[in-house]
């Protein structure tokens, strides 16, 4: 959830290895002696979206301790990727930890992750798309802890003020452009979102394109479909009906929506908790994103429960992950801090319990998963930097650079 709010460049595992001079096989863990005691102590490192998530994970750890007899310490990272990479390099990793999809392949390639997927009997209960995001060399490495999709959030007071009704919720690009223009006046911008592929990529998908082929073995960025998607975004930017969050002095779409600077935003289901906490009096409605030339399209995000290859408590760590990934616990997490369950069977229960999240839940059926290629985080970081100039740069130029950079990353091996 935290990585979807920002596309800031992060220090990768490979970069830290270069800085510390460690070898690339530091995470193999093949010779780590395993603790076979009946009562073991586990450490868990998380990157939290706020106090609600921190409390929820700590409560779950306490409940597991009571049930299993193993003790668990939950620590909150200040910089998740940097702390993880340093702990791997120092051969003192936490037993269990969050792994973002953009860093997953880096850690898997380095041998830092213990692949425990074959020990999960009901792994098929997690969607094929999510399992694919956290598989490496044909093996399911770690279980997705939750899932998130993007949808269109509308400030209903500003919507009504503009003379619009529920029948005007946009279902096509043309309708989106029309209502965004109508809503843009005074200090309000029709549509505000962040200048990153994790948001703008929905238009590439809706136009029938994407960054890579489904197998992530070939770059498909430099395509007419992707150019059409970014071209539509560019037209909105040039008209003034779309602005990036920083252009309206906010850090993300939720803040712009909450402060009344945006009539609409493109955000994920983490918006619910943020609005409840920071802007409880703002009324809004969430609907599915409008379809493009090739139909509906949205993006999916997830984080997995990683287990360190060098952990001396791998069996106990997997047992903890099973507990944290259970249907009951996933529903508790969903209720506590707004994430959607990653279990297919549990998603239906969540949808019934949270009717306001229907658009996000329904979008999961056609959501595009993230790019998970080793070393690709740097490629996407540069893509996000290039997207900042989309209003003045030909989309084909931006996509050609993405194609070149991506091909270089693929050439280095997955």
């Amino acid at each position: 959830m935290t990585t979807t709010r920002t596309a800031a460049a992060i220090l990768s595992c490979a970069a830290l290895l270069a800085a510390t001079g460690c070898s690339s096989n530091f995470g193999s863990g093949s010779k780590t002696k395993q603790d076979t005691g009946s009562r073991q102590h586990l450490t868990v490192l998380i990157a939290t979206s706020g106090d609600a998530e921190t409390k929820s994970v700590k409560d779950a750890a306490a409940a597991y301790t009571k049930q299993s007899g193993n003790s668990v310490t939950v620590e909150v990272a200040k910089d998740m990727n940097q702390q993880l990479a340093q702990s791997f390099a120092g051969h003192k990793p936490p037993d269990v930890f969050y792994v973002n999809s953009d860093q997953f392949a880096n850690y898997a390639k380095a041998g830092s992750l213990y692949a425990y997927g074959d020990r999960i009997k009901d792994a098929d209960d997690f969607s094929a798309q999510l399992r694919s995001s956290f598989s490496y060399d044909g093996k399911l490495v770690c279980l997705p802890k939750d899932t998130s999709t993007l949808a269109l959030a509308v400030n209903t007071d500003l919507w009504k003020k503009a003379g619009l009704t529920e029948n005007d919720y946009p279902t096509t690009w043309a309708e989106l452009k029309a209502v965004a223009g109508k809503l843009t006046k005074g200090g309000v911008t029709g549509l505000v979102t962040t200048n990153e592929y994790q948001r703008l990529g929905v238009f590439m998908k809706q136009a029938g394109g994407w960054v890579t082929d489904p197998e992530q073995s070939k770059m498909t960025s430099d395509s007419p479909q992707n150019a059409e998607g970014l071209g539509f975004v560019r037209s909105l930017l040039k008209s003034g009906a779309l602005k990036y969050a920083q252009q309206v002095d906010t850090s993300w779409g939720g803040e712009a929506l909450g402060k009344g600077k945006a009539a609409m935003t493109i955000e994920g289901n983490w918006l619910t908790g943020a609005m409840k906490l920071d802007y409880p009096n703002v009324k809004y409605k969430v609907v599915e994103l409008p379809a493009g030339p090739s139909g509906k399209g949205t993006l999916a995000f997830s984080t997995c429960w990683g287990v360190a290859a060098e952990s001396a408590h791998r069996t106990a760590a997997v047992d903890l992950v099973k507990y944290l990934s259970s249907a009951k616990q996933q529903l508790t997490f969903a209720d506590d801090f707004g994430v959607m369950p990653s279990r297919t069977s549990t998603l239906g229960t969540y949808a019934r319990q949270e009717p306001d999240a229907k658009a996000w839940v329904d979008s999961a059926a056609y959501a595009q998963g993230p790019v998970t290629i080793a070393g690709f985080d740097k490629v996407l970081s540069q893509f996000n930097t290039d997207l900042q100039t989309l209003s003045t740069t030909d989309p084909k130029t931006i996509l050609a650079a993405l194609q070149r950079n991506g091909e270089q990353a693929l050439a280095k091996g997955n």
Side-chain angles (χ1 to χ4, degrees), residues 20-60:
T20 58
C22 297
S23 64
S24 61
N25 62 353
F26 60 86
S28 64
S30 58
K31 297 181 180 179
T32 303
K33 184 177 180 180
Q34 294 298 295
D35 187 340
T36 58
S38 58
R39 293 180 179 273
Q40 300 181 32
H41 179 70
L42 302 171
T43 56
V44 178
L45 184 67
I46 68 171
T48 183
S49 60
D51 292 342
E53 181 172 0
T54 301
K55 182 179 184 303
S56 186
V57 175
K58 287 186 175 182
D59 287 348

Side-chain angles (χ1 to χ4, degrees), residues 84-114:
L84 268 183
Q86 288 175 333
S87 71
F88 292 146
H91 302 281
K92 294 182 179 179
D95 299 295
V96 179
F97 43 88
Y98 285 9
V99 179
N100 263 331
S101 57
D102 63 348
Q103 290 296 310
F104 165 75
N106 291 337
Y107 297 142
K109 182 179 181 180
S112 304
L113 303 177
Y114 173 56

Side-chain angles (χ1 to χ4, degrees), residues 157-209:
D157 285 338
L158 293 175
W159 193 260
K160 292 176 183 177
K161 188 176 180 181
L164 299 169
T165 69
E166 291 185 358
N167 293 329
D168 296 309
Y169 289 141
T171 59
T172 66
W173 279 6
E175 292 174 357
L176 176 63
K177 191 169 187 176
V179 295
K182 190 170 185 177
L183 290 161
T184 301
K185 52 187 174 182
V188 178
T189 300
L191 177 63
V192 175
T193 191
T194 44
N195 57 308
E196 53 187 351
Y197 102 98
Q198 292 95 330
R199 297 295 180 278
L200 304 182
V202 299
F203 297 103
M204 295 164 58
K205 189 65 180 176
Q206 291 160 10

Side-chain angles (χ1 to χ4, degrees), residues 52-53 56-57 59-61 63 98 116 120 122-127 130-131 134 142-148 269 301-305 320-351 353-354 361:
E53 181 172 0
S56 186
V57 175
D59 287 348
Y98 285 9
Y116 60 83
I120 308 301
D122 59 349
D124 288 347
D125 193 28
F126 299 84
S127 74
L130 289 174
R131 282 183 279 125
F134 295 111
C142 50
L143 291 181
K145 74 180 188 68
D146 51 46
T147 186
S148 301
N269 41 289
F301 305 93
S302 187
T303 299
C304 82
W305 289 109
L320 171 61
V321 169
K322 290 179 179 178
Y323 180 87
L324 296 172
S325 302
S326 66
K328 179 180 179 181
Q329 189 56 54
Q330 287 204 351
L331 286 172
T332 299
F333 286 153
D335 184 60
D336 286 348
F337 56 97
V339 293
M340 295 194 302
S342 55
R343 286 183 174 274
T344 303
S345 61
T346 311
L347 198 57
T349 303
Y350 170 77
Q353 293 180 354
E354 302 289 341
V361 173

Side-chain angles (χ1 to χ4, degrees), residues 71-385:
S71 60
V72 182
T73 298
V74 177
E75 299 177 356
V76 178
K78 292 182 179 180
D79 186 323
M80 188 68 178
N81 296 299
Q82 184 173 356
Q83 287 177 237
L84 268 183
Q86 288 175 333
S87 71
F88 292 146
H91 302 281
K92 294 182 179 179
D95 299 295
V96 179
F97 43 88
Y98 285 9
V99 179
N100 263 331
S101 57
D102 63 348
Q103 290 296 310
F104 165 75
N106 291 337
Y107 297 142
K109 182 179 181 180
S112 304
L113 303 177
Y114 173 56
Y116 60 83
D118 59 353
R119 300 179 63 178
I120 308 301
K121 294 181 179 180
D122 59 349
D124 288 347
D125 193 28
F126 299 84
S127 74
Q129 180 264 311
L130 289 174
R131 282 183 279 125
S132 176
S133 294
F134 295 111
S135 293
Y136 190 80
D137 282 346
K139 294 182 180 179
L140 175 62
V141 176
C142 50
L143 291 181
K145 74 180 188 68
D146 51 46
T147 186
S148 301
T149 59
L150 298 177
L152 187 71
V154 177
N155 182 312
T156 52
D157 285 338
L158 293 175
W159 193 260
K160 292 176 183 177
K161 188 176 180 181
L164 299 169
T165 69
E166 291 185 358
N167 293 329
D168 296 309
Y169 289 141
T171 59
T172 66
W173 279 6
E175 292 174 357
L176 176 63
K177 191 169 187 176
V179 295
K182 190 170 185 177
L183 290 161
T184 301
K185 52 187 174 182
V188 178
T189 300
L191 177 63
V192 175
T193 191
T194 44
N195 57 308
E196 53 187 351
Y197 102 98
Q198 292 95 330
R199 297 295 180 278
L200 304 182
V202 299
F203 297 103
M204 295 164 58
K205 189 65 180 176
Q206 291 160 10
W210 188 236
V211 180
T212 71
D213 64 355
E215 293 75 28
Q216 298 191 131
S217 61
K218 180 181 178 181
M219 290 297 297
T220 58
S221 303
D222 194 3
S223 71
Q225 293 84 0
N226 286 329
E228 184 177 13
L230 293 187
F232 176 67
V233 176
R234 188 185 187 199
S235 71
L236 290 175
L237 285 167
K238 295 184 76 171
S239 73
L242 165 64
K243 289 183 180 178
Y244 292 145
Q246 66 266 35
Q247 291 179 296
V248 296
D249 297 321
T250 58
S251 59
W252 67 296
E255 182 182 0
L257 188 74
K259 290 184 174 180
K261 294 186 176 183
M264 300 182 292
T265 190
I266 299 171
E267 279 298 340
N269 41 289
W270 52 83
L271 179 72
T272 302
M275 294 295 287
K276 185 184 297 183
L277 178 65
D278 298 326
Y279 311 103
N281 298 321
V282 174
K283 298 176 183 178
Y284 66 100
K285 171 75 174 179
V286 179
V287 297
E288 289 182 67
L289 288 167
S294 291
K296 293 182 178 181
T298 191
L299 306 185
F301 305 93
S302 187
T303 299
C304 82
W305 289 109
V307 171
E310 285 196 313
S311 169
H313 313 280
R314 291 197 296 259
T315 297
V318 173
D319 188 57
L320 171 61
V321 169
K322 290 179 179 178
Y323 180 87
L324 296 172
S325 302
S326 66
K328 179 180 179 181
Q329 189 56 54
Q330 287 204 351
L331 286 172
T332 299
F333 286 153
D335 184 60
D336 286 348
F337 56 97
V339 293
M340 295 194 302
S342 55
R343 286 183 174 274
T344 303
S345 61
T346 311
L347 198 57
T349 303
Y350 170 77
R352 290 190 293 274
Q353 293 180 354
E354 302 289 341
D356 290 342
K358 185 179 188 307
W360 286 308
V361 173
D362 291 348
S363 298
Y366 53 84
Q368 169 66 53
V371 180
T372 54
I373 299 172
F376 217 80
D377 51 314
K378 296 178 181 179
V379 175
L380 295 174
S381 177
Q382 182 59 51
F383 182 35
N384 286 337
T385 297

